[in-house]
Amino acid sequence: MRFIVLGDLHYASYSDPTLATRRDRLFGEMFRQVAAHQADLVFAIGDTTQRGLLPELSGQTAVAEQNGLALIRTTGNHDTDTLPKTALAPFFLGGHSSAAADDELYTSFEAGPARFVLLDTARPQMSSVNWSGFVSEAQLDWLQAQVEEFNRADAPPYLVVLGHHPLFGTTDRSSDKWLNIENSQAVQERFARLQRGQGLYVCGHNHTNSMAGPDEAGWYYLQAGAPLVCQSYRLVTLDEEGLRVETFDFDLSQDGFQADFEEVRYGIEEGFSVYPLEAVYGNYRDRFFNVPVGAR
């Protein structure tokens, strides 16, 4: 099977209607290129919006659906900037019910050769002084049960966990202040219980393409850069040969899309930084990676 990971999309509201039009034109083209892969699943790994406003979420959903995409969103700190998670719930987890009440949005499901576990690493409301992630005790207990259930089963061979924030000391910038899950050690303790198969943790938040691992427990870590910064997205293949990661750059060279790209990202009014491409693009190993079957 194949699935796509979109990093922090930061679909924003604009006071200038011209910018809003250019935003939807740009995202429509990016989503069209993603849809052309005909991947089995498409994940948006948090900070899918700039402020978590209902018009942002509904607008992004409409543009995605018009271009053949059904997004499976996980929560990011920007998504919880304005509304409680109970109000956000209809737009997240791709139609899968949360394993908790709607004040926390996490779930799991099986598809192809993988069990997918979607974490909620966003705090109840984004803080302007601390935008790190946190995994609640109830969610940690649930995560441990997910790993133990995976261990007891004969199949599938892959355990793929997705959450917005990186684990401390894994991918690029994840050791920096607020650029990780605050209680990363507690999460890694649950990861260390994996006894079979292959573990992959997928994250965003830090806007850079990065790949790390394996750690002592055999886990690999895939961080997806923000498309409005690195102009790219990830394609992950899971099959009988192993796990492969490819990174594709959006082709915005036609019809003025590059101009839209610049206007849309620099037009975000606050809370979004544009870094030089060379700082976020990643080296070859960050962008293309292969884990053969049985490698840990």
Side-chain angles (χ1 to χ4, degrees):
M1 76 167 300
R2 299 182 307 152
F3 65 89
I4 281 174
V5 181
L6 294 167
D8 306 25
L9 291 169
H10 286 277
Y11 183 96
S13 300
Y14 299 92
S15 54
D16 181 351
T18 301
L19 273 178
T21 298
R22 298 188 79 162
R23 172 202 61 200
D24 288 349
R25 183 173 180 267
L26 171 66
F27 274 91
E29 176 60 17
M30 293 195 298
F31 289 160
R32 185 193 66 77
Q33 292 182 28
V34 169
H37 289 279
Q38 297 184 321
D40 298 284
L41 301 168
V42 178
F43 294 98
I45 198 68
D47 284 4
T48 57
T49 64
Q50 180 64 11
R51 295 193 57 209
L53 299 167
L54 291 181
E56 292 176 346
L57 287 160
S58 59
Q60 183 185 71
T61 299
V63 174
E65 290 178 347
Q66 288 163 10
N67 290 276
L69 286 190
L71 297 176
I72 303 175
R73 298 180 178 96
T74 62
T75 53
N77 49 292
H78 276 263
D79 298 313
T80 59
D81 183 33
T82 306
L83 297 172
K85 291 180 182 178
T86 51
L88 299 175
F91 297 95
F92 286 82
L93 307 183
H96 298 277
S97 298
S98 177
D102 285 345
D103 59 342
E104 286 200 310
L105 301 175
Y106 55 87
T107 195
S108 65
F109 61 91
E110 290 190 7
R115 183 168 188 84
F116 292 92
V117 175
L118 278 59
L119 297 182
D120 182 354
T121 67
R123 298 173 187 271
Q125 186 171 15
M126 186 174 80
S127 167
S128 60
V129 296
N130 181 354
W131 47 89
S132 66
F134 189 82
V135 179
S136 68
E137 285 297 324
Q139 191 176 175
L140 287 170
D141 290 343
W142 174 83
L143 175 60
Q144 179 171 318
Q146 292 294 309
V147 174
E148 292 173 348
E149 182 180 334
F150 180 86
N151 287 337
R152 292 192 296 269
D154 294 328
Y158 296 100
L159 180 60
V160 181
V161 182
L162 301 100
H164 177 63
H165 294 80
L167 292 175
F168 181 86
T170 55
T171 50
D172 186 43
R173 304 177 68 205
S174 65
S175 299
D176 294 352
K177 189 175 183 179
W178 303 330
L179 298 188
N180 50 61
I181 296 173
E182 183 177 287
N183 56 337
S184 289
Q185 183 176 351
V187 176
Q188 289 177 305
E189 287 172 359
R190 275 66 180 181
F191 281 9
R193 294 174 178 266
L194 185 66
Q195 297 174 353
R196 70 166 188 90
Q198 182 61 64
L200 174 69
Y201 181 65
V202 182
C203 65
H205 190 56
N206 292 350
H207 290 196
T208 66
N209 289 320
S210 179
M211 188 84 188
D215 64 8
E216 292 181 356
W219 282 79
Y220 289 84
Y221 299 87
L222 172 63
Q223 182 171 284
L228 291 180
V229 179
C230 65
Q231 200 171 313
S232 61
Y233 57 98
R234 308 289 210 158
L235 174 66
V236 181
T237 301
L238 305 175
D239 58 22
E240 64 279 358
E241 296 181 3
L243 181 160
R244 295 187 300 284
V245 175
E246 300 171 88
T247 304
F248 290 87
D249 293 336
F250 289 107
D251 180 4
L252 304 178
S253 61
Q254 303 298 317
D255 301 322
F257 288 114
Q258 190 66 44
D260 290 344
F261 178 76
E262 300 298 342
E263 292 290 333
V264 166
R265 64 185 187 152
Y266 282 108
I268 297 176
E269 294 175 359
E270 60 180 349
F272 184 80
S273 299
V274 176
Y275 299 100
L277 184 61
E278 60 270 19
V280 298
Y281 195 71
N283 60 32
Y284 186 86
R285 188 183 185 275
D286 290 321
R287 294 172 59 82
F288 301 95
F289 202 79
N290 179 35
V291 182
V293 169
R296 292 198 67 188

